[in-house]
Amino acid sequence: MAQRKAKEKVTIIEIAAAAGVSKSTVSLVLKGSDAVHPETRDRVNAAIRELGYVYNRGAANLRQARSNIVGMIINDLTNPFFAELAVGIERSFQSAGYVPFIANTAENPVRQAEVIKLMREQGVAGLIVSPARGTPSDALDGLQAAGVPVVLAMRRLPGARISSVVPDNRRGARLAVERLVELGHRRIAFLGGYADSVVRGERLEGFGAALADAGLDPERALNIATAPTRDGGAAALESALTHREPPTAALCFNDIVAFGVCLALRRRGLQPGPDFGVIGFDDVQEAVHADPPLTTIAVDSMGLGERAAQMVLKMIEAGRPIVEEHVGAVHLVIRESCGGPARQGMEKRTRERRA
Amino acid sequence: MAQRKAKEKVTIIEIAAAAGVSKSTVSLVLKGSDAVHPETRDRVNAAIRELGYVYNRGAANLRQARSNIVGMIINDLTNPFFAELAVGIERSFQSAGYVPFIANTAENPVRQAEVIKLMREQGVAGLIVSPARGTPSDALDGLQAAGVPVVLAMRRLPGARISSVVPDNRRGARLAVERLVELGHRRIAFLGGYADSVVRGERLEGFGAALADAGLDPERALNIATAPTRDGGAAALESALTHREPPTAALCFNDIVAFGVCLALRRRGLQPGPDFGVIGFDDVQEAVHADPPLTTIAVDSMGLGERAAQMVLKMIEAGRPIVEEHVGAVHLVIRESCGGPARQGMEKRTRERRA
DNA sequence: CTGAAAGCGCTTACAG
DNA sequence: CTGAAAGCGCTTACAG
């Protein structure tokens, strides 16, 4: 019995006794109230140090009926793009005095449901979720109905009335197409990504709109859906090139797909850039080191994470749900994979924030 | 007041009333006790569903004096190598019925100390930490003394009596050197990584021992410490090549450094592999897609994560600290960057587990 | 500025 | 198999 824990747990009662005050006073000191005499405060703090007191947040939260823990649920933590989102979120919450907990769903909606339940049982004050693929649009309804602030990050849930923070996918795709058109391309394909992905839908929309604005027919543009992987990208390119009117350039669903496209291109002896224009999406860390360095649409995932956290914080403060959609700015980072001169300046601007 | 939360919180008291039983019975149902009459159980469960009851883990943990939350503290979540570790840990804990929470320290020992404190206040039943660079060896002493199971992952803390799960760095380095020697190299350098890193020390030890076994003088081998980054790798290579007796191959501190070395090599018109042997360490996801595909030492980070979780679980169950060191197997993955024929078979074996 | 008392939502013996 | 009572470690009015 005594060996279970090295020490008995010390509570505010012991602290109160040691400092010669009441529990209430200790509690006030703990929360930094200035209604306590400085000398008393020092005495209490000394006792806390001496006895090795550890604050019990569970007990505090129970009484307070509000917790300082917030959660974030991420679809794929091994993907640096989402890991950065998580880090941005974490940072904002931490500096606001909240305790952020991260959970990973590995793109599994079932696991996601479990994690949501757990977070709720843990009494989170708010939640940010980057939903797993295939998340039903009512997955967060229970939480919302219970008054827990929720915001969606990176991926919207069609049909759900939930705040979201997503990059401007349409505009990003448009910027890419405009660049390609500027370089003289007329047959531009959209390559890779699952057909049912909401994000892909948005990117495809921007793609089509930009094509139309350039006087090109979106209907005739090749649109090939595949897994959002390197292999998927390679397969998409192969398929595109067998077309009777093969494209001369492509906007890829994301950078990973673009890497696959470049790979397949080189396998065929074609050089990404001069021989076939390739533009990615996301500007993952690898993009700048790829061969050739990838032209892509930069999405500031860490910044979006911070924004999402701020939205949750705002709702917690307001004490009521606020539904708002934040669409984050994106910009074209010109490197070498789309042909034309690489402009070092733009690339620097994006990368420096990492340091 | 009524608008703060959409619903009043429903507790087991309401459930008990609705089901016509006492609180205790509801509690038993909640924990799946089989001492409750099936019919009663169903009645309680129905009430739970109808009233939208949410279990309050904080309250439960308070009374139980044991919690089901476990924590993991990761030095750099944006590094996929560590993200995979986290995912492995999470998976094991989850299937054991624990609620794992992840926190990121961004290699900052100060932040790490805060996070440790927070986790402790939250009442974690156990903790896994992949320590930030520069973590003092007594950083976890408080937790340990309080009887909280702790295990170190990936990085040991010299001088601390804490369980750890780390890859076999010495053996990995040895395998790499043996391969290089086998390919005919005699002047082999060790490139990159911070000089004060414990991991680097271990890898360097294996490097030296293997050199000695091959009849080469470890003292004469070039050993250049730099930041563990691409730039660091490139700089290390440049510096190595200016040496009066330049190496013909290198074992790099990790894969990222190796990428930098390859980059610098190509910049000089040298081809990694045929012209200069390069071996990395870790086998990050990028390694297989690099140009050329990187020969490296595979470290199963997800597997190490699972192992670390099991150790924590074991300690929780035992109710007392157990100090043990697990050294995870590593193996050489031969690709193209070290010259010689690439053996596809071996590579496959490593990669398939990801799927 | 400080103290006594009640209560947050559960679990845990202990009766029955 | 079920119920009444106490208690986990805090915070919160409310007195003084």
Side-chain angles (χ1 to χ4, degrees), chain A residues 287-304:
Chain A
V288 65
H289 296 115
D291 183 29
L294 190 69
T295 292
T296 185
I297 302 298
V299 165
D300 177 16
S301 51
M302 207 173 281
L304 290 178

Side-chain angles (χ1 to χ4, degrees), chain A residues 40-332:
Chain A
T40 312
R41 173 169 35 74
D42 293 348
R43 224 162 357 115
V44 170
N45 280 326
I48 284 174
R49 260 192 311 280
E50 269 164 44
L51 302 185
Y53 169 73
V54 176
Y55 186 66
N56 184 331
R57 259 166 219 281
N61 289 338
L62 178 58
R63 185 59 176 90
Q64 287 181 140
R66 52 177 280 281
S67 101
N68 67 331
I69 106 166
V70 286
M72 61 191 111
I73 299 182
I74 307 291
N75 55 302
D76 183 7
L77 220 42
T78 65
N79 181 334
F81 180 69
F82 292 103
E84 278 190 30
L85 171 74
V87 168
I89 295 171
E90 190 185 36
R91 181 190 299 166
S92 299
F93 277 141
Q94 212 141 19
S95 57
Y98 282 83
V99 187
F101 287 127
I102 310 171
N104 181 55
T105 58
E107 298 286 10
N108 180 347
V110 175
R111 180 115 162 240
Q112 181 174 274
E114 292 168 5
V115 168
I116 290 172
K117 179 157 177 275
L118 248 18
M119 290 272 187
R120 207 172 154 193
E121 292 181 354
Q122 214 60 243
V124 290
L127 201 60
I128 292 175
V129 7
S130 172
R133 258 198 298 273
T135 298
S137 64
D138 64 352
L140 277 345
D141 286 2
L143 266 177
Q144 285 239 111
V148 179
V150 183
V151 358
L152 257 20
M154 289 302 173
R155 297 172 173 180
R156 250 184 287 252
L157 236 38
R161 289 226 352 116
I162 306 184
S163 288
S164 62
V165 173
V166 296
D168 195 340
N169 290 313
R170 287 183 193 77
R171 179 161 166 72
R174 166 177 290 280
L175 290 173
V177 170
E178 284 173 359
R179 173 69 181 174
L180 257 11
V181 166
E182 197 180 309
L183 290 170
H185 293 283
R186 289 295 169 266
R187 292 198 307 277
I188 304 174
F190 189 98
L191 262 30
Y194 288 124
D196 62 355
S197 142
V198 176
V199 170
R200 187 178 199 273
E202 293 173 359
R203 293 179 182 177
L204 198 56
E205 254 183 67
F207 172 82
L211 243 31
D213 287 358
L216 301 169
D217 182 4
E219 295 299 314
R220 297 190 52 198
L222 226 48
N223 166 12
I224 303 177
T226 64
T229 59
R230 284 183 209 251
D231 286 349
L237 179 92
E238 290 302 337
S239 159
L241 292 191
T242 61
H243 206 259
R244 59 202 143 72
E245 281 196 324
T248 61
L251 167 59
C252 301
F253 168 64
N254 68 13
D255 288 349
I256 312 296
V257 166
F259 294 144
V261 167
C262 288
L263 204 72
L265 243 17
R266 276 203 309 268
R267 263 195 230 127
R268 285 181 162 251
L270 297 172
Q271 206 184 328
D275 298 333
F276 188 101
V278 178
I279 299 190
F281 213 115
D282 290 349
D283 194 24
V284 300
Q285 304 204 22
E286 246 174 292
V288 65
H289 296 115
D291 183 29
L294 190 69
T295 292
T296 185
I297 302 298
V299 165
D300 177 16
S301 51
M302 207 173 281
L304 290 178
E306 291 170 356
R307 197 67 159 74
Q310 280 156 21
M311 279 176 60
V312 166
L313 257 13
K314 195 167 86 175
M315 289 195 234
I316 292 177
E317 196 163 338
R320 63 186 175 76
I322 300 169
V323 177
E324 87 188 81
E325 310 210 332
H326 173 75
V327 177
V330 297
H331 68 272
L332 178 67

Side-chain angles (χ1 to χ4, degrees), chain B residues 58-73:
Chain B
N61 289 339
L62 179 59
R63 186 60 176 92
Q64 286 182 141
R66 51 176 281 283
S67 101
N68 67 332
I69 105 163
V70 286
M72 61 191 111
I73 299 182

